Each structure stands twice: as C-alpha cells, then as structure tokens.
Amino acid sequence: MTTATLMPEASDLSAEDYLVLGLATCFIKEEGEVHEVKVAEPIPSAALEAIVKGVPTSYSLAIATTVGAVLSGDTPQMPAEFPANTQFCDEFAYRAVAAARTYKARAVAQSLIPVGTTKTDFNYSTERKRVLNSQRIVRTEDNVKQHEYTHKVL
C-alpha cells in the first residue's frame, strides 16, 4: 500500500503526519505604536519540548493535529479553535513541512500533546515582546572603541 504524498517538495511526508500549531501573541510596530496580533505558526519538536518544561513563551495554546488537516496542497487551513482574527505566519506551508519533519525524527515529542487535543498550560508571557516588523539600524556611534594595543602583541 502506498501513501499519498502531501506536496511534491515534501515527498517524505503524508497527510497523516503529526504537527503542532501554536497560537502566538506577537506585536507589530506602526507609527510609533505597538499593536498586538495573534499568529498561527507550526511549533517544531525541540521548541515544544522546551515550552512544556516551563520556558516562558508567547504561545497561549497549542493544537496537535496532522499535516493534512492544516495544509491542503499549499493552502493553509485555520483550525477552528483559533480566534477569527488569527493570521498565518510568513512561509506557513514551508514551516509546517519543516516542523512535521522534526516530529518524524523525534517521535517521542508526539506524546507531549496527543493528536486532536489542545494544550494551554504553558508559561505564557509577553514580557519579551515578539515584534514582527522590527528593524535593526546600525549606526557609526554604535561601534565599540578599542584601545590601540588591543590587537598588537606587546
């Protein structure tokens, strides 16, 4: 029996493969003000293991599902458990395939949240805000002044 592949570029995955989606609280900076947005994004196995151990996270909930329930070809499907104003993260399909591969490589992580269930008891914190459109502007004044003998052998 052959298993149908999900996408041509992900021939190693099937629609039944395990995937965790998180509902992240992120922020967008516009005109000096910061606005909160809800973002649906795949959570890789290593990140899920850390979050379950109590690391502070911007994820308010996580849903264990299958790749086929979330991706129909390259078209993402929003889970019903997420609020209506939730947005998909950038490159959602690519990140979903990558995250699903991490659960295939580390199958023990699939036991943290059984398929079809939602987990909400995370150490949720927005103290360190995830600003999606932030830009780092490096100026000459930011350079560290070094002593003239720093790189010389005396």
Side-chain angles (χ1 to χ4, degrees):
M1 179 176 166
T2 59
T3 306
T5 59
L6 188 63
M7 293 185 275
E9 61 271 4
S11 60
D12 59 328
L13 294 179
S14 70
E16 293 81 32
D17 283 327
Y18 183 87
L19 178 65
V20 175
L21 283 185
L23 180 64
T25 303
C26 298
F27 298 88
I28 294 179
K29 195 174 207 178
E30 291 177 337
E31 299 172 9
E33 293 184 27
V34 178
H35 303 282
E36 182 178 304
V37 293
K38 297 293 185 182
V39 178
E41 60 185 14
I43 303 175
S45 63
L48 181 64
E49 290 180 43
I51 292 167
V52 168
K53 288 181 181 176
V55 173
T57 182
S58 63
Y59 295 111
S60 57
L61 66 93
I63 298 171
T65 185
T66 62
V67 176
V70 175
L71 287 178
S72 175
D74 283 337
T75 307
Q77 307 294 318
M78 188 67 70
E81 295 87 352
F82 286 0
N85 63 345
T86 303
Q87 304 172 14
F88 286 105
C89 67
D90 291 341
E91 299 181 352
F92 181 82
Y94 175 79
R95 291 177 62 185
V97 167
R101 286 181 176 140
T102 67
Y103 291 103
K104 285 186 88 156
R106 185 142 173 85
V108 70
Q110 296 180 21
S111 65
L112 298 173
I113 307 175
V115 173
T117 59
T118 302
K119 187 168 180 70
T120 58
D121 59 344
F122 298 133
N123 184 7
Y124 176 73
S125 172
T126 57
E127 185 177 326
R128 293 180 57 198
K129 294 183 175 6
R130 289 179 57 189
V131 181
L132 298 178
N133 61 342
S134 68
Q135 294 179 347
R136 293 182 186 251
I137 301 170
V138 179
R139 300 181 311 261
T140 306
E141 300 85 48
D142 296 333
N143 290 336
V144 176
K145 303 292 187 242
Q146 295 182 344
H147 192 273
E148 71 176 280
Y149 298 116
T150 302
H151 300 290
K152 292 182 181 177
V153 177
L154 299 175

